[in-house]
C-alpha cells in the first residue's frame, strides 16, 4: 500500500508565502505524474500544478508566476512553493501521485489534504 502525507499548510497574510510538501511511502517501483489540487468551500476541485517524471510542469492560470511545483525523486516527494498568496488561494490542498508498484500495476493515490488560509 502507498501512503501520501502532506505538510506545510497554515495561516498566512496576503502577500506571504508557504511551502507545501507531500511525501509518498510504501512499496514504490516508480512515480509518474505528481499533482497538486485544491478545493475551496462551495467550489469544485481544481488542478493547481502538475509535474511529470521528466520534470515538465504546468500551472493553472490563476497561479502562474506565483506558484512553483518541484519534485525530489530520491525522496518520493513533491513540493509546492506558493508566493504572493491571495485570499482567493484559501482552500484545502491535496497532492496526487500516479504510482507504479510494479511494472504492470499503476494507480493514483491521494493525500489527506492540508488547509491553507490566506487572510486579507
Amino acid at each position: 500500500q502507498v501512503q501520501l502525507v502532506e505538510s506545510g499548510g497554515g495561516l498566512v497574510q496576503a502577500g506571504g508565502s508557504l511551502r507545501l510538501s507531500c511525501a509518498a511511502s510504501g512499496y514504490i517501483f516508480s512515480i509518474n505524474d505528481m499533482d497538486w489540487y485544491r478545493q475551496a468551500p462551495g467550489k469544485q476541485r481544481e488542478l493547481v500544478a502538475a509535474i511529470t517524471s521528466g520534470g515538465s510542469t504546468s500551472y493553472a492560470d490563476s497561479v502562474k508566476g506565483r506558484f512553483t511545483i518541484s519534485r525530489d525523486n530520491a525522496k518520493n516527494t513533491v513540493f509546492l512553493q506558493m508566493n504572493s498568496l491571495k485570499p482567493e488561494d484559501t482552500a484545502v490542498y491535496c497532492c496526487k501521485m500516479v504510482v507504479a508498484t510494479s511494472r504492470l500495476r499503476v494507480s493514483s493515490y491521494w493525500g489527506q489534504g492540508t488547509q491553507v488560509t490566506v487572510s486579507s
Side-chain angles (χ1 to χ4, degrees), residues 58-79:
S58 59
Y59 299 91
D61 288 343
S62 58
V63 306
K64 278 181 183 176
R66 300 188 298 121
F67 290 11
T68 301
I69 189 171
S70 61
R71 62 191 285 167
D72 183 335
N73 292 325
K75 296 182 179 179
N76 294 327
T77 300
V78 62
F79 304 97

Side-chain angles (χ1 to χ4, degrees), residues 9-27:
L11 173 64
V12 64
Q13 287 189 330
S17 298
L18 284 173
R19 189 185 194 218
L20 305 182
S21 300
C22 173
S25 62
Y27 190 79

Side-chain angles (χ1 to χ4, degrees), residues 1-17:
Q1 186 69 309
V2 175
Q3 289 187 324
L4 274 55
V5 178
E6 296 132 341
S7 60
L11 173 64
V12 64
Q13 287 189 330
S17 298

Side-chain angles (χ1 to χ4, degrees), residues 1-5 22-35 51 53 71 73 75-78 95-111:
Q1 186 69 309
V2 175
Q3 289 187 324
L4 274 55
V5 178
C22 173
S25 62
Y27 190 79
I28 297 170
F29 181 74
S30 65
I31 302 179
N32 300 328
D33 292 354
M34 295 179 173
D35 307 324
I51 185 166
S53 56
R71 62 191 285 167
N73 292 325
K75 296 182 179 179
N76 294 327
T77 300
V78 62
C95 61
K96 188 189 85 171
M97 296 188 188
V98 179
V99 180
T101 52
S102 72
R103 290 188 184 276
L104 299 177
R105 187 166 227 169
V106 179
S107 300
S108 293
Y109 295 89
W110 290 83

